[in-house]
Amino acid sequence: MHRHYNGLKTAALLGLLTALILGIGVGVGGGSGLVIAAIISLAVNAGSYFWSDKIALRSMRARPVSEAEFPALYQMVRELAADARQPMPRLYVSPTQQPNAFATGRNPAHAAVCVTTGITQILDYRELRAVIGHELSHVYNRDILISSVAAALSSIITFLAYLAWFVPIGGGDDDDGPNPLVFLAMLVLGPLAASIIQLAISRNREFQADASGAALSRDPLALASALRKIDRGARQLPLPADNQFTTTAHLMIANPLNAAGVAKLFSTHPPMAERIRRLEEMSNRQVGPVQFQ
């Protein structure tokens, strides 16, 4: 039931984004602007979707590791992938001292899992295995696809808002022209609403990856323990909020940036305390078979 509820929420949020696009398109008053925005946005996000793994790995300066270098990592990933009946992903290590991890790739056949040097130094075998289960779940749940669709729809809204403001393509035939207040509201509120919905989708998928990852590793308490350590380490060693890391931040198991004040409201990750609470509740119930979305 929880799995289907998450799926329903994701579908509803994507539907809201689509409705926003249609509403702004009507407000702009020209179908041509909608078509232009859609083509540009889809082209940009299609490139990001197909090259997402290379972009993310390059931004973290990750390098591929062999089984001889990291036999424990290969063992746990191979076991979890076999349990999920999925192909073995490529494995990478980033020299970053902040404890973190992420998975990327448009599908299980093109997946990569990356751990930082920092996370290997503070987690024990059980905790790291649970983290790997979480990251593999992102791939198996097709979260990269969901995120790409959400990003594409959000980008279309932003393009439409800017077109409406800088290149008015609609409006009536009267001399006064379109109401500038309407365009100003569209320029500000449209992208803001799109960003909020996209954040909600990201947080929803993070909860789902926790649940299915804990079921895959059959160790929700190990994942809860790992999240406590990762959260503490990430806050002690935040990554700089520049373009190199902001493009990868939403993929990480914990927010790698310094999310304080207003920035905390726009974090792509749900509160860590809530994630840990859910995992501890999950441990009190019998962990059933893993179900990917």
Side-chain angles (χ1 to χ4, degrees):
M1 184 179 297
H2 176 71
R3 180 173 68 96
H4 292 298
Y5 178 59
N6 275 319
L8 183 60
K9 283 198 297 185
T10 301
L13 289 167
L14 290 174
L16 278 174
L17 275 175
T18 305
L20 270 174
I21 291 174
L22 296 176
I24 291 177
V26 171
V28 170
S32 57
L34 183 61
V35 172
I36 293 172
I39 291 175
I40 295 175
S41 175
L42 290 175
V44 171
N45 285 282
S48 299
Y49 172 66
F50 285 105
W51 293 85
S52 60
D53 54 344
K54 294 179 176 59
I55 294 171
L57 293 168
R58 188 178 297 116
S59 69
M60 294 299 293
R61 294 179 289 119
R63 66 175 182 85
V65 289
S66 66
E67 188 166 5
E69 292 179 89
F70 211 149
L73 180 63
Y74 267 80
Q75 179 183 351
M76 63 181 70
V77 174
R78 185 177 291 112
E79 289 176 356
L80 292 170
D83 287 345
R85 296 181 177 86
Q86 299 290 344
M88 177 81 176
R90 309 187 313 276
L91 301 184
Y92 291 80
V93 170
S94 167
T96 308
Q97 286 302 308
Q98 183 195 94
N100 229 314
F102 68 92
T104 183
R106 60 186 184 273
N107 56 46
H110 299 86
V113 173
C114 177
V115 297
T116 65
T117 300
I119 202 173
T120 64
Q121 295 172 346
I122 67 170
L123 299 188
D124 61 27
Y125 187 92
R126 275 184 57 205
E127 292 166 339
L128 185 57
R129 184 176 182 274
V131 166
I132 296 299
H134 169 101
E135 296 304 333
L136 290 175
S137 291
H138 274 305
V139 177
Y140 304 155
N141 289 337
R142 303 301 195 272
D143 285 348
I144 299 299
L145 175 60
I146 296 293
S147 299
S148 298
V149 171
L153 294 175
S154 298
S155 299
I156 292 173
I157 292 175
T158 303
F159 277 127
L160 279 172
Y162 278 95
L163 279 173
W165 180 254
F166 294 106
V167 188
I169 54 179
D173 297 329
D174 56 276
D175 295 334
D176 293 335
N179 186 344
L181 292 179
V182 174
F183 280 152
L184 182 60
M186 198 179 297
L187 178 67
V188 176
L189 298 180
L192 178 61
S195 298
I196 290 173
I197 294 173
Q198 190 176 3
L199 288 173
I201 291 173
S202 297
R203 293 185 177 196
N204 178 47
R205 308 307 292 184
E206 206 66 40
F207 281 130
Q208 177 61 36
D210 281 343
S212 54
L216 177 60
S217 66
R218 299 180 179 85
D219 203 346
L221 286 181
L223 181 55
S225 176
L227 290 180
R228 284 194 188 92
K229 293 182 179 180
I230 293 169
D231 182 52
R232 184 166 55 249
R235 284 188 281 109
Q236 291 174 348
L237 296 169
L239 298 182
D242 55 25
N243 290 334
Q244 178 183 357
F245 298 115
T246 52
T247 56
T248 314
H250 69 284
L251 296 174
M252 301 286 192
I253 191 170
N255 186 4
L257 310 177
N258 186 11
V262 177
K264 195 171 185 179
L265 297 175
F266 291 91
S267 171
T268 54
H269 296 73
M272 190 63 77
E274 175 64 15
R275 295 173 64 183
I276 293 172
R277 184 189 67 79
R278 294 191 182 197
L279 287 167
E280 289 175 341
E281 288 182 353
M282 186 177 178
S283 71
N284 294 328
R285 305 187 301 268
Q286 182 178 1
V287 179
V290 60
Q291 292 182 333
F292 300 112
Q293 189 164 332

